[in-house]
Amino acid sequence: MSKTIIVSNRLPVKIAEKDGEFVLAPSEGGLATGLGSIYRNGNNVWIGWPGLVVPEQKDQDDIRQQMAGMNLMPVYLEQEEINNFYEGFSNETLWPVFHYMAVYARYEQGYWDAYYRVNEKFRDLILSVAEPDDVIWIHDYQLLLLPGMIRQALPDVSIGFFLHIPFPSFELFRLIPWRAELLEGMLGADLLGFHTFDDSRHFINAVTRILPINASANQLMVNDRAVVAETFPMGIDYDKYASMGTDAEVQQQLRQLEENFHGIKMILTIDRLDYSKGILQRLQAFELFLQLYPEYAEKVVLYMIVVPSRDTVPQYVALRDEIDKLVGGINARFRTINWHPVHYFYRSFPIETLSALYNFADICLVTPMRDGMNLVSKEYVASRTQNNGVLILSEMAGASKELIDALIVNPNNIGAITRALEEALIMPLPEQYRRMKQMRQVVAKFNVNHWVKLFMDRLQEVKQIQQSMLARRLSTDMQLHVQQAYKKAGRRAIFLDYDGTLVGFNVNVDLASPDQELYHLLRSLTADPSNEVVMISGRKHETLSEWLGHLRLHLIAEHGAWQRRQGGKWHKLPGLNDQWKQEIYTILDTYTDRTPGSFIEEKSYSLVWHYRKVEAGLGELRANELVGTLRYYTSDKGLMVLPGDKVIEVKNAEINKGRATLNWLHDDHFDFVMAIGDDHTDEDIFKALPEDAITIKVGSQVSAARYYLRNFKEVRQFLTTLV
Ligand code: GDG
């Protein structure tokens, strides 16, 4: 039976050493809860680092054995690996760049080497237990190379990947010297999950800019494998936070808080120590607030928990010192005999304490500079079962895309945070109820179990898409069938598209003339008297004459506007008009003027706007705009707008490769009909031909064709096997 393997840098476990013995206890993080329903079942397992260095072999064995009973498997790391892989590449290279703090990033070859080696270490342990029909779900930025490494060893295994931190814009990501390797690693997965739409968009953008890979919407084709990048905003264990308020221990702590802070409004903030969390800016905002609104003296406190983290990294040490200084400064400046404004704790607390604080605090202030999601904001919302309380939330946190009823602020705007604090403090109860109720509904519905289910279901769907694509691939076996049918047939009609089908994509349209190999292939194909080979292209008839006119080929040009039987003259489709061209030309011309690198190609019955030489991104943007404009102007003129590979073509609606194909076949009988093409316009041929025809799409996108081949090289190879 297939199993599920969860992989993350840290295992969901706490290990304490007591009298030389290791005591293991499950840790209660959100991810552990959400995935608990998975990894604890049957043969399933969670693989990761246990969180401490265990030098002795016998201790390693002891922990491994204890973990086996908990469905956990440890990857042991040495101190050097923790320094370079974890604190180094993960936290001093990837973390700052992915959180838009590129000035903090260090690009050290030694860090990268360790990152690579540790990813290999994870791979080896996974491969020792994984089987081809297992599902592997890998988490987070410490393991970006792992999907690719596993894919190499197990080409068909199902791999999901989820990134818990933001994926930065291409302009940031490209700074990393190993950017291509990182993307290739990630693309080993079948499904890549991100917290927000922007993250997945940035990822797709980085892939298409850095690697020779095309995307269609959120699907990327990686060597024939469809890889999907999608948004799965992570949720929390809603029920746990919603019900914890009634826990005896929490109640006890709540009473204590009520006693200590009677008549005082509490502003709560909870973060791991990190420069991405905006802790300094938040303190500055609170200081400004106390200065601007002196009437709140003795009436409000900032209750700030900072959980120690990464305190061997220099920036974190510096940050901690600065927080100390700022807190000290504010308290010294504003405190009275009965009151000091900032209650600051640099330590972690049991979850009961957090729950009591979530229940007690009037305001939760969450202002990260960047945050993948931010679970604290959701935990506060889930805890507010009375629907009162106000959440102030940074627009840079992934959570702000869902919790739109929070007071949303730009964390760099100290003035705005200050105003939001005042707004929160005076917000009428009905308004608090309205906002909190909406947010609680969101957090309740999109909880962590929902998140896990959505991701796992989607991963399964992606696998199915891949399998159905695979079934269409014209494999060597299938080719054999086609060869047999070809041999048996007495009369054959073969329709071949030109660009993208017989030759590759060329930035210069005029440079795509046939090479010697292609001439040779076409000559052999047409030498067989049983073959009628039709070159059916969108190119101008003059071009086809010049390149191919001397061969024993039938030619159809401009998608069917012109036809020439072998040895005969060119005929154009009767009744076509080209009066429309002038007006449309003017529109295309304005786009050409605005878009450096674009140009217009004029054919007898069509106009083509080319943008293959335009800056990546700009071309697509203008093309989208242009299609919109053209649809409006062409709707009443009997014209069609066809977006293609870096082109947009406008032509008479009567012209269509499918119709041209049927016309050509009219009144004739063939016992073997085959068509090969790569773009939109070839779909008309595939649809027009009878079901028993051999239709082959070049490229594995969705198509009406029965089979597909990967590229023009495969087409040439395949045709060669026929002759
Ligand atoms: C990364 C991304 C993304 C905090 N203090 C204590 C404590 N906590 C718990 C909170 C919360 C968790 O830690 C913090 O989660 P965040 O989401 O706020 O931040 P990161 O740790 O940076 O997490 C983040 C997340 O991954 C999930 O994808 O949201 O954007 O950076 O659950 O309650 N727990 C206990 N004591 C504490 O003192 N027990």
Side-chain angles (χ1 to χ4, degrees):
M1 214 183 76
S2 79
K3 64 180 171 304
T4 301
I5 303 174
I6 307 284
V7 192
S8 67
N9 178 52
R10 277 295 299 272
L11 282 173
V13 70
K14 283 186 289 202
I15 304 187
E17 207 182 333
K18 254 193 204 148
D19 313 324
E21 302 265 304
F22 291 96
V23 189
L24 275 60
S27 69
E28 71 268 278
L31 190 62
T33 316
L35 297 175
S37 58
I38 298 184
Y39 81 91
R40 291 206 188 90
N41 286 340
N43 290 334
N44 297 350
V45 60
W46 188 327
I47 293 177
W49 179 52
L52 76 176
V53 179
V54 187
E56 298 291 328
Q57 184 66 43
K58 83 170 170 27
D59 294 338
Q60 291 191 3
D61 293 342
D62 171 28
I63 293 176
R64 190 177 296 114
Q65 204 159 29
Q66 290 195 53
M67 285 193 168
M70 303 162 81
N71 285 16
L72 302 175
M73 255 180 111
V75 177
Y76 290 111
L77 299 181
E78 286 156 29
Q79 193 55 49
E80 175 273 327
E81 291 171 326
I82 292 163
N83 297 347
N84 293 306
F85 147 78
Y86 180 64
E87 279 156 11
F89 198 77
S90 301
N91 290 339
E92 285 193 63
T93 311
L94 294 177
W95 180 275
V97 175
F98 281 41
H99 285 86
Y100 293 74
M101 303 269 187
V103 285
Y104 286 164
R106 290 180 57 186
Y107 307 110
E108 303 267 345
Q109 187 63 40
Y111 286 178
W112 166 255
D113 294 341
Y115 187 79
Y116 198 94
R117 275 199 313 276
V118 172
N119 272 258
E120 281 181 326
K121 209 168 187 178
F122 272 80
R123 174 200 63 192
D124 293 342
L125 189 65
I126 293 167
L127 291 181
S128 73
V129 293
E131 284 174 87
D133 57 350
D134 287 347
V135 175
I136 305 175
W137 189 4
I138 300 166
H139 291 264
D140 230 1
Y141 63 104
Q142 300 91 351
L143 301 173
L144 296 178
L145 299 176
L146 193 52
M149 288 176 172
I150 298 174
R151 175 70 54 209
Q152 280 196 346
L154 295 171
D156 297 323
V157 77
S158 210
I159 307 177
F161 179 87
F162 190 84
L163 185 70
H164 289 263
I165 64 174
F167 195 94
S169 126
F170 164 69
E171 287 301 336
L172 272 283
F173 184 75
R174 72 194 298 198
L175 299 174
I176 303 173
W178 307 274
R179 58 201 184 180
E181 289 89 333
L182 290 170
L183 292 177
E184 280 160 0
M186 292 176 80
L187 288 170
D190 300 302
L191 174 63
L192 291 130
F194 302 87
H195 282 307
T196 71
F197 174 68
D198 281 334
D199 297 323
S200 44
R201 198 168 53 85
H202 289 153
F203 171 72
I204 293 170
N205 196 18
V207 170
T208 55
R209 291 286 193 90
I210 293 169
L211 301 177
I213 287 180
N214 285 330
S216 124
N218 64 347
Q219 191 171 307
L220 297 149
M221 285 313 296
V222 183
N223 306 322
D224 243 7
R225 201 165 43 87
V227 172
V228 172
E230 224 159 83
T231 311
F232 299 90
M234 186 180 165
I236 60 163
D237 185 353
Y238 174 83
D239 292 338
K240 177 164 123 187
Y241 285 91
S243 63
M244 218 174 355
T246 55
D247 175 276
E249 170 63 28
V250 175
Q251 285 282 326
Q252 157 65 25
Q253 295 202 26
L254 253 174
R255 278 194 294 278
Q256 193 66 52
L257 286 167
E258 269 152 17
E259 213 169 281
N260 295 349
F261 295 98
H262 185 72
I264 292 181
K265 299 265 187 190
M266 178 187 280
I267 304 165
L268 176 66
T269 92
I270 301 179
D271 309 90
R272 231 173 8 80
L273 178 72
D274 204 296
Y275 47 76
S276 67
K277 301 286 184 183
I279 302 172
L280 295 175
Q281 292 80 352
R282 198 179 308 158
L283 283 166
Q284 285 161 4
F286 187 60
E287 182 168 25
L288 183 64
F289 172 81
L290 293 176
Q291 189 185 322
L292 292 179
Y293 303 94
E295 63 272 26
Y296 281 102
E298 301 196 341
K299 297 210 176 77
V300 58
V301 292
L302 182 72
Y303 201 96
M304 189 165 92
I305 294 179
V306 176
V307 181
S309 152
R310 304 179 197 171
D311 40 18
T312 52
V313 178
Q315 279 105 22
Y316 290 73
V317 180
L319 174 62
R320 200 195 140 174
D321 290 348
E322 285 214 46
I323 296 174
D324 282 349
K325 257 192 250 155
L326 255 177
V327 170
I330 297 172
N331 280 339
R333 184 172 165 200
F334 293 98
R335 72 185 301 171
T336 63
I337 293 184
N338 306 316
W339 169 75
H340 60 273
V342 184
H343 291 237
Y344 166 49
F345 304 86
Y346 181 67
R347 49 171 282 206
S348 68
F349 288 91
I351 189 153
E352 288 74 17
T353 308
L354 294 196
S355 172
L357 287 165
Y358 285 145
N359 274 282
F360 183 74
D362 303 277
I363 297 170
C364 186
L365 180 60
V366 182
T367 54
M369 294 291 132
R370 284 284 159 182
D371 217 336
M373 172 53 69
N374 189 286
L375 300 181
V376 168
S377 56
K378 292 189 170 179
E379 291 163 5
Y380 178 67
V381 167
S383 307
R384 306 304 297 181
T385 45
Q386 307 297 313
N387 291 323
N388 58 357
V390 183
L391 174 65
I392 302 177
L393 181 57
S394 159
E395 64 185 48
M396 311 295 174
S400 70
K401 307 287 177 332
E402 291 172 277
L403 304 179
I404 53 175
D405 287 293
L407 294 181
I408 305 283
V409 292
N410 174 348
N412 295 298
N413 190 339
I414 306 287
I417 301 176
T418 309
R419 282 191 297 279
L421 280 173
E422 135 95 336
E423 189 183 341
L425 284 164
I426 58 170
M427 187 181 284
L429 267 181
E431 173 79 0
Q432 295 184 23
Y433 292 157
R434 188 187 62 74
R435 289 171 180 262
M436 194 55 80
K437 231 168 139 175
Q438 299 280 351
M439 292 195 284
R440 278 188 52 224
Q441 274 171 11
V442 171
V443 177
K445 177 166 179 200
F446 296 94
N447 61 49
V448 71
N449 297 315
H450 185 76
W451 175 75
V452 169
K453 183 171 170 0
L454 278 187
F455 189 91
M456 285 311 223
D457 287 354
R458 188 69 179 130
L459 181 56
Q460 212 170 15
E461 277 170 29
V462 173
K463 215 60 212 171
Q464 280 160 4
I465 297 175
Q466 290 176 355
Q467 270 151 9
S468 66
M469 275 186 173
L470 227 55
R472 284 180 42 232
R473 176 151 164 71
L474 191 53
S475 59
T476 325
D477 278 359
M478 296 299 246
Q479 291 192 22
L480 229 64
H481 281 292
V482 178
Q483 282 163 27
Q484 279 160 3
Y486 179 91
K487 281 214 184 80
K488 264 202 277 177
R491 290 204 73 213
R492 313 181 191 105
I494 300 172
F495 296 89
L496 300 174
D497 168 54
Y498 184 77
D499 291 274
T501 300
L502 295 172
V503 295
F505 187 80
N506 201 309
V507 174
N508 194 331
V509 255
D510 299 320
L511 285 185
S513 59
D515 50 90
Q516 284 313 313
E517 184 193 76
L518 180 56
Y519 276 130
H520 180 73
L521 174 62
L522 290 172
R523 278 206 190 88
S524 339
L525 203 59
T526 50
D528 185 336
S530 313
N531 286 350
E532 301 297 335
V533 184
V534 186
M535 189 66 69
I536 179 162
S537 157
R539 292 247 177 199
K540 292 184 195 178
H541 68 288
E542 294 93 339
T543 311
L544 290 193
S545 292
E546 185 192 331
W547 289 352
L548 304 162
H550 57 292
L551 300 179
R552 202 185 79 80
L553 279 172
H554 307 279
L555 302 175
I556 298 180
E558 283 194 35
H559 305 295
W562 295 89
Q563 307 208 358
R564 191 187 101 167
R565 292 247 162 201
Q566 194 262 313
K569 276 208 174 87
W570 283 105
H571 293 285
K572 56 183 175 187
L573 209 64
L576 291 178
N577 97 57
D578 62 355
Q579 302 296 304
W580 55 269
K581 278 193 346 196
Q582 207 168 6
E583 186 186 343
I584 300 296
Y585 197 99
T586 320
I587 298 171
L588 298 185
D589 215 23
T590 54
Y591 276 78
T592 310
D593 283 345
R594 290 170 59 207
T595 317
S598 66
F599 62 95
I600 304 170
E601 181 189 7
E602 182 167 356
K603 305 182 195 173
S604 324
Y605 298 100
S606 71
L607 290 173
V608 192
W609 189 73
H610 290 262
Y611 61 95
R612 59 183 75 194
K613 291 180 187 165
V614 177
E615 179 190 350
L618 176 65
E620 286 69 21
L621 182 77
R622 288 279 197 271
N624 269 336
E625 271 179 57
L626 179 57
V627 168
T629 313
L630 287 172
R631 292 242 153 92
Y632 175 75
Y633 280 101
T634 54
S635 58
D636 57 349
K637 294 190 174 61
L639 299 176
M640 264 182 95
V641 181
L642 285 177
D645 199 357
K646 307 273 185 211
V647 294
I648 292 169
E649 182 149 12
V650 185
K651 64 175 180 59
N652 288 56
E654 306 94 293
I655 307 174
N656 160 322
K657 279 187 175 181
R659 235 178 268 173
T661 308
L662 288 184
N663 272 342
W664 194 91
L665 286 168
H666 192 62
D667 286 344
D668 211 338
H669 177 76
F670 294 94
D671 37 18
F672 178 94
V673 177
M674 177 168 82
I676 314 181
D678 76 311
D679 85 28
H680 253 52
T681 58
D682 300 309
E683 292 297 318
D684 293 328
I685 312 182
F686 302 146
K687 285 182 208 146
L689 288 179
E691 263 190 31
D692 59 350
I694 310 286
T695 48
I696 304 171
K697 169 93 171 173
V698 183
S700 50
Q701 306 91 322
V702 177
S703 166
R706 265 165 77 188
Y707 305 110
Y708 79 91
L709 286 166
R710 285 195 196 122
N711 51 38
F712 78 97
K713 289 185 193 135
E714 286 196 359
V715 174
R716 289 188 185 192
Q717 242 163 32
F718 163 65
L719 289 175
T720 309
T721 64
L722 295 181
V723 297

